[in-house]
């Protein structure tokens, strides 16, 4: 697909809007349908589309596997950090009410941060799975390219 100009052009045109839509779903999640999981899958789909059209080597240049692995941990740490912050501030684990001066703002900040953690984790895990499966060569070793 790398040599097909229609796929290449379409992918270049759609890559940024797909990510933008994923960010919309991410930050609109506390007002309507959406949230971190859906946003993470949408954002990962943009990178996977790029990888399908341009190849695994090129998508790894855009989203290096080392950074993807770090983002997996960062997302979990954001999620868990909100819970720990709630405990430190005197509430129960993931009790968002204690995160701000009033309950409504605390709930809003808490759900945004937790959904951000979920979104980052889902995006990076989906990319990690894509890298693992797309790079599998059947000889027991993954393709490093």
């Amino acid at each position: 697909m790398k040599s097909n100009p229609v796929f290449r052009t379409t992918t270049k045109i759609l890559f940024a809007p797909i990510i933008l839509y994923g960010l919309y779903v991410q930050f609109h999640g506390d007002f309507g349908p959406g949230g971190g999981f859906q946003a993470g899958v949408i954002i990962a789909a943009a990178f996977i589309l790029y990888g399908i059209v341009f190849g695994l080597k090129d998508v790894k240049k855009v989203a290096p596997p080392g950074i993807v692995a770090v983002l997996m941990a960062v997302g979990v740490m954001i999620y868990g950090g909100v819970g720990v912050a709630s405990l430190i501030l005197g509430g129960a684990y993931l009790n968002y009410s204690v995160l701000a001066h009033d309950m409504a703002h605390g709930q809003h900040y808490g759900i945004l941060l937790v959904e951000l953690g979920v979104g980052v984790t889902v995006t990076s895990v989906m990319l990690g799975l894509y890298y693992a499966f797309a790079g599998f060569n059947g000889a027991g070793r993954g393709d490093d390219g």
Side-chain angles (χ1 to χ4, degrees):
M1 282 195 231
K2 193 172 185 175
S3 61
N4 187 322
V6 174
F7 289 148
R8 291 175 55 92
T9 304
T10 304
T11 299
K12 286 181 180 179
I13 290 171
L14 290 178
F15 184 73
I18 291 172
I19 292 174
L20 187 64
Y21 182 66
L23 292 173
Y24 168 78
V25 169
Q26 171 76 48
F27 293 110
H28 190 261
D30 57 339
F31 300 113
F37 187 86
Q38 296 88 345
V41 170
I42 292 169
I43 293 170
F47 288 96
I48 292 170
L49 173 66
Y50 191 90
I52 290 171
V53 173
F54 290 97
L56 190 58
K57 279 185 178 180
D58 287 343
V59 76
K60 284 184 175 180
K61 289 178 187 172
V62 175
I67 291 176
V68 170
V70 168
L71 288 176
M72 289 180 200
V74 167
V76 172
M77 288 178 10
I78 291 171
Y79 186 95
V82 172
V84 171
S86 299
L87 287 173
I88 290 172
L89 294 172
Y93 189 75
L94 293 177
N95 177 4
Y96 311 137
S97 299
V98 297
L99 295 176
H101 62 283
D102 65 3
M103 189 172 132
H105 284 101
Q107 293 283 330
H108 185 73
Y109 298 147
I111 197 68
L112 278 177
L113 289 171
V114 164
E115 291 294 332
L116 178 65
V118 171
V120 169
T121 301
V122 169
T123 299
S124 55
V125 168
M126 295 294 290
L127 278 176
L129 288 171
Y130 173 71
Y131 290 166
F133 284 113
F136 184 72
N137 63 11
R141 295 181 25 207
D143 180 17
D144 292 332

